[in-house]
Amino acid sequence: MKGLTDIPGILVGHASDYEARTGCTVVLCEAGAVGGLDVRGSAAEGQWAVLDPLHVTDRIHSVIFTGGSAFGIEAASGVRRYLEHRGVGFNTGSAIVPIVVGGVLYDLGFAKKGIRPTRETGETAAGAATDRAVAEGAIGAGTGATVGKVLGMANSMKSGVGSWTITLSGGVMVSALAVVNAVGDVRDPRTGKILAGTRTTASGMEFADSERLVLGGTAAGFRGANTTLVCVATNAMLDKIQAKKLAQFASLGVARAIAPVNMMSDGDTVVALSLGTLKANIDALGVAAASATAQAIVRSVTETKPMGGLPGLGK
């Protein structure tokens, strides 16, 4: 299993600045993919308008996830430049315009002050895109990702990128890539056990239980350190409305693996991509999308090593 690159036609590339502790992750679908969107967090930031089912463009060519908060969306320009040089995009009659969508996560509290992903960062990540197994952990947009910040950054844990694929009958696949920067805890979706999250002390590994803290009034409003970004893809053929529904299904997987989730200071967003001609029931695809997303979120913490003074579960 390779993760999101199991889906034919998808390439994934990362660019990481480990000194500054930030970066971006690029998903390329140069032949075009039908896209859908589901935004559940109240602090989302990004470029998503073309994913509206009523938008004139019926295909997108890249999804970019980047650190740097709103500053980081500049990296999308580098992906557009990369694709333009390859002749990839929507034919407007006067020019070929690459359709790039993207979202940002807030890593400014962990990254080096004043250094964010740039156009060159996005171009580098696009140039590094490959169909090999997705690199996971503290890489790309996951370089500056952390989880469990109800008691502040010092009591959080390191997280990053995770990816997982589920195969259905007839060769249909659904795969997810998640970059997890949640205010809440990552839990095992089967048992509810906290895997990574808010620690009671900055030096210990006892979990405080972020849900309990929020219910007790510890956290409220915008805290500026969060967002989980997910790209879920399938080789089944969907239209834009079905792709939006697939993104909504995948959001259920986010809720299974993160608690609390979709907070006022989260920008939780899921993008769904459809590539291929296989036929599949949308409900079956949705169940698989939720499961693949939850497992990708789990891997975003289990595959991430300690970094920047924060503990991680990776070896």
Side-chain angles (χ1 to χ4, degrees), residues 60-110:
I60 66 171
H61 306 101
S62 179
V63 178
I64 180 170
F65 294 153
T66 177
S69 189
F71 298 105
I73 203 64
E74 179 184 334
S77 296
V79 181
R80 281 193 198 89
R81 182 164 67 176
Y82 174 84
L83 291 174
E84 181 186 24
H85 290 165
R86 294 174 62 83
V88 173
F90 178 75
N91 190 347
T92 67
S94 299
I96 301 296
V97 180
I99 306 300
V100 179
V101 301
V104 304
L105 57 83
Y106 190 106
D107 59 4
L108 303 184
F110 185 67

Side-chain angles (χ1 to χ4, degrees), residues 11 21 46 61 69 78 99 106 108 123 128 143 148 173 176 204 234 241 259 263 276:
L11 308 177
R21 298 197 294 230
H61 306 101
S69 189
I99 306 300
Y106 190 106
L108 303 184
E123 193 165 15
T143 305
M173 292 181 289
T234 180
I241 293 175
M263 303 282 279

Side-chain angles (χ1 to χ4, degrees), residues 147-151 182-188 191-194 196-199 207-220 254-263 266:
V147 295
K149 287 159 282 192
V150 175
L151 295 180
V183 66
D185 303 327
V186 173
R187 293 176 177 262
D188 185 324
T191 66
K193 177 184 177 182
I194 298 174
T198 303
R199 296 170 293 135
F207 294 121
D209 190 335
S210 294
E211 276 195 324
R212 181 183 62 82
L213 292 174
V214 171
L215 288 172
T218 301
V254 178
R256 289 177 191 171
I258 299 174
V261 71
N262 304 157
M263 303 282 279
D266 283 324

Side-chain angles (χ1 to χ4, degrees), residues 14-165:
H14 302 290
S16 309
D17 185 336
Y18 287 108
E19 182 179 355
R21 298 197 294 230
T22 192
C24 73
T25 295
V26 172
V27 177
L28 296 183
C29 36
E30 294 188 10
V34 175
L37 177 71
D38 188 46
V39 178
R40 299 289 176 101
S42 294
E45 174 76 29
Q47 299 179 346
W48 305 117
V50 297
L51 294 174
D52 188 307
L54 297 179
H55 197 280
V56 66
T57 55
D58 62 349
R59 296 286 190 278
I60 66 171
H61 306 101
S62 179
V63 178
I64 180 170
F65 294 153
T66 177
S69 189
F71 298 105
I73 203 64
E74 179 184 334
S77 296
V79 181
R80 281 193 198 89
R81 182 164 67 176
Y82 174 84
L83 291 174
E84 181 186 24
H85 290 165
R86 294 174 62 83
V88 173
F90 178 75
N91 190 347
T92 67
S94 299
I96 301 296
V97 180
I99 306 300
V100 179
V101 301
V104 304
L105 57 83
Y106 190 106
D107 59 4
L108 303 184
F110 185 67
K112 188 174 181 179
K113 187 175 181 179
I115 301 180
R116 300 114 181 188
T118 63
R119 182 174 69 173
E120 289 70 29
T121 311
E123 193 165 15
T124 297
T130 174
D131 63 357
R132 293 193 295 270
V134 175
E136 299 172 290
I139 191 169
T143 305
T146 51
V147 295
K149 287 159 282 192
V150 175
L151 295 180
M153 187 63 70
N155 293 54
S156 68
M157 288 183 65
K158 191 70 185 76
S159 57
V161 175
S163 194
W164 193 256
T165 301

